[in-house]
Amino acid sequence: MTLRGERQADFAYQAVYRYMINLINEVSTDTRVKLPSLRQLAGRLNVSISTIQYAYSLLEKEGRVYSVAKSGYYAWPLSATTVAGASGDLLDRLYAAARSPCMAVFSGDEPALLASLDGTLLRLERELVRQYPRHLQPWSQPCGVWELRAALAARYTSSPTRCWHADDIYIGADLRGVLDILIEVLGLRGTTVIVESPCDWLILRLFQDCAVRIIELPWTPEGRLDLATLDQLLRDEPVHLVLLSSKVSLPSGNALPAHDRLSVAQMLDRYGCWLLENDTFGELGFKEPQAALREWVNPERLMVFSSFEKVLGSEAPYGYLLSRRMSSELQRQFLLRSFRLSSIRQRAIARLYQSGRIDPHLRALRHLLQGQAAEMSGRLEQHLGQQVSYRMPAAGAAFWLGSTQAVDMRQVFKRLLAQQVVIAPGELFSVSGLHHQHLRVSHTFHGQPNLEIALAAISEALRQAQVG
C-alpha cells in the first residue's frame, strides 16, 4: 500500500491515521495488542517516520493507543472498553474509556477545541505548496525549518540580554518526542528533579520510565508555592533541575505572583540550579499578560519547552524546545530521531506568527475560554454546591476540583464510567500519592454531552463514594 497517491485534499498523516483506525478496529481479542513500529509502518506505507509518529500522536491523544517505554505502541481492542473495571493501570483505563464514542469525555484540557486554526493552516499549506513544489523542499531539517525557528526566536525575545536566535530552537514531531530528547541530553536518568504538583501525567510518566527521582512541590490551597520548602530542598537534596510553569500552572490553574517568581529565580541562581520551564499554557492566561518566570532567571541555566497544539489545534501537534546550551548534543539527538517533519506545515505555522495573525486568534481564544470558565463555574455551584472546592482557573480549559468530603476517587471514576462520563482522577497528576481527593473536569469537551446530566452524575458519584 502506498499513500503517495492520496487525493490532494488529504495530507499523509491523515491517510496514516485512517489506516491505523482500521487496523485497530480489526482487533478482536481481549488482550492488549502490539502495533507495528514507526519504521515498520513507514516502510509499509511509503511515508516518513515523522508522519507515522504524527498519526500515532493523535491516536494516543484520543486514547486509542498507548506507548510503553522501550517496547512500542499498543492498542486497546474495542471489546476492551470493559477495562473500566477495577483492574489495570488507571491511566490506561482512562484512555480506553475516552476512546469510546459513547462517552462524554471531561478528562482533558484542550483549549483549541473552542477555536482552532486547523482550517487556516490547511489553506496556508495549499498556498505554500504552489510556492514550494515538493522537489524544491529540503529533504531533511532535523531541528525544524528555519522560518519557524526564527519566528519562535523572535516571539520569545524580550530584550537585548534575553534574546533567542533560530539556532536556539529545536522542533520535534510532538511534545513527547521533544521531552525524550531533553531527558537524554540533560542526562536525567537516575537524577533528582523537583516538579510542581499537580503535574502533567505525560511528564511524570516519562520521568518515571527513566528512573528519575521526582520530588513534588505542591501548590498550596491559596495558590502559592511553598518557597521555604523549595529553598530547603535545593539546599539539602542533589537537585539536577527544577520544572515549573512559565506563567500559569495546570491543572491547578494557579499563577505565581510576581514577588514569588523573583524569589524562585534568586533561589535557583543561588544554588546554581537549572530551570526547565513548561510554557505549554503560557499564552492562554485570562488576565493581563505577565512576565514569564524565564524573564527572571539566568538564561544560561534555562530550557523552555512547549507545543503548538494547545493554541492552534490538532493540526499542529509539534513540540519545541528553547536552549542556549548543549547545541551540538541537541542537534545530534534530533538528527538521530529522524524527525522528517513537513516543511510546508511548519512554514504555514511560521506565517501565522510572522503575519501577526496569531495574536488576534489568541485574544479571541482567551476571551472564549474565560467566558466558558465563568459559565462552568456557575454550573458547578448549581450542581456540586458544597461537595467541591476550587479556585477559578487562570488559564486553560479545565477546573481542578477538590472534594470537601473524604471520598474514594477511584470509585467516583468507576461509577462515572458506568454513566458514560469520563473525568481525570487527581492521583494521575502525582507520583507520591498526592491529590487523591481531587479531579480534573474540562469545560471544553469532546462531543455534545448533556452537561446538566453529566454534572448531576458527578455529584451523585461523589456522594456514593464517601468514606469514613
Side-chain angles (χ1 to χ4, degrees), residues 330-406:
L330 282 166
Q331 291 170 10
R332 189 177 78 87
Q333 289 295 332
F334 272 81
L335 183 61
L336 288 173
R337 292 308 194 283
S338 300
F339 287 147
R340 285 169 51 193
L341 311 181
S342 165
S343 60
I344 292 295
R345 175 61 52 87
Q346 292 179 76
R347 287 190 174 98
I349 298 172
R351 285 205 172 181
L352 288 175
Y353 284 86
Q354 293 164 348
S355 66
R357 276 182 280 185
I358 188 66
D359 294 306
H361 166 73
L362 285 170
R363 286 193 293 271
L365 181 56
R366 286 192 290 261
H367 179 74
L368 289 170
L369 288 168
Q370 188 171 17
Q372 192 95 341
E375 182 179 343
M376 185 65 163
S377 178
R379 300 285 184 89
L380 291 173
E381 294 293 337
Q382 176 185 351
H383 290 278
L384 300 184
Q386 302 302 311
Q387 290 180 283
V388 299
S389 61
Y390 62 90
R391 294 172 59 86
M392 279 296 293
F399 278 77
W400 183 244
L401 307 179
S403 174
T404 56
Q405 302 292 325

Side-chain angles (χ1 to χ4, degrees), residues 11 76 109 150 207 209 217 270 282 296 322 331 355 375 378 418 456:
F11 297 96
W76 287 108
D109 192 349
F207 281 172
D209 288 344
L217 184 68
R270 185 162 62 250
W296 304 77
L322 286 76
Q331 291 170 10
S355 66
E375 182 179 343

Side-chain angles (χ1 to χ4, degrees), residues 52-335:
I52 303 296
Q53 189 163 18
Y54 207 22
Y56 263 138
S57 176
L58 292 177
L59 291 165
E60 186 170 19
K61 187 176 184 57
E62 294 173 355
R64 296 178 181 272
V65 307
Y66 62 97
S67 61
V68 176
K70 300 181 180 179
S71 179
Y73 285 92
Y74 292 82
W76 287 108
L78 290 177
S79 58
T81 52
T82 55
V83 74
S87 62
D89 180 88
L90 183 61
L91 184 56
D92 289 341
R93 290 156 57 199
L94 186 152
Y95 278 156
R99 66 172 287 205
S100 174
C102 63
M103 291 291 186
V105 182
F106 289 84
S107 54
D109 192 349
E110 304 303 326
L113 285 177
L114 286 184
S116 78
L117 284 176
D118 289 352
T120 302
L121 279 175
L122 295 177
R123 286 194 298 273
L124 285 171
E125 281 200 349
R126 293 186 180 98
E127 294 173 8
L128 286 164
V129 165
R130 291 192 289 270
Q131 298 178 33
Y132 296 93
R134 183 177 296 276
H135 68 278
L136 294 180
Q137 296 178 33
W139 177 251
S140 176
Q141 296 188 61
C143 298
V145 301
W146 184 89
E147 291 93 331
L148 183 52
R149 297 168 74 192
L152 286 173
R155 193 165 187 85
Y156 276 86
T157 292
S158 59
S159 73
T161 57
R162 296 188 178 276
C163 59
W164 300 90
H165 302 284
D167 287 343
D168 301 325
I169 315 296
Y170 306 85
I171 300 170
D174 56 21
L175 190 56
R176 174 188 288 274
V178 169
L179 291 175
D180 275 334
I181 290 176
L182 191 61
I183 290 170
E184 187 70 26
V185 170
L186 289 175
L188 295 185
R189 296 178 186 275
T191 66
T192 299
V193 171
I194 294 176
V195 303
E196 61 189 339
S197 187
C199 180
D200 187 285
W201 62 57
L202 169 64
I203 296 169
L204 294 177
R205 290 295 176 103
L206 286 174
F207 281 172
Q208 281 185 309
D209 288 344
C210 295
V212 173
R213 179 186 172 220
I214 302 171
I215 299 178
E216 297 182 73
L217 184 68
W219 284 85
T220 69
E222 296 74 33
R224 306 281 295 273
L225 286 176
D226 187 339
L227 299 183
T229 298
L230 176 60
D231 187 77
Q232 181 180 353
L233 290 171
L234 290 173
R235 184 179 64 247
D236 298 340
E237 298 284 351
V239 178
H240 199 85
L241 63 80
V242 176
L243 191 156
L244 296 171
S245 295
S246 60
K247 296 180 181 179
V248 181
S249 177
L250 275 295
S252 63
N254 293 321
L256 197 63
H259 181 270
D260 288 0
R261 291 199 297 276
L262 176 59
S263 298
V264 168
Q266 291 172 340
M267 280 185 214
L268 295 174
D269 193 51
R270 185 162 62 250
Y271 294 105
C273 190
W274 279 73
L275 171 68
L276 177 57
E277 184 186 78
N278 181 353
D279 196 38
T280 309
F281 287 89
E283 298 208 82
L284 291 175
F286 301 155
K287 297 181 180 179
E288 289 298 315
Q290 57 181 345
L293 182 57
R294 62 180 173 271
E295 300 298 330
W296 304 77
V297 303
N298 182 349
E300 299 303 318
R301 288 195 291 271
L302 167 69
M303 285 187 168
V304 182
F305 70 86
S306 186
S307 74
F308 300 103
E309 190 170 19
K310 297 298 183 183
V311 297
L312 299 184
S314 60
E315 295 290 340
Y318 302 134
Y320 60 87
L321 171 70
L322 286 76
S323 175
R324 290 185 176 183
R325 306 291 298 274
M326 296 179 278
S327 58
S328 60
E329 183 61 18
L330 282 166
Q331 291 170 10
R332 189 177 78 87
Q333 289 295 332
F334 272 81
L335 183 61

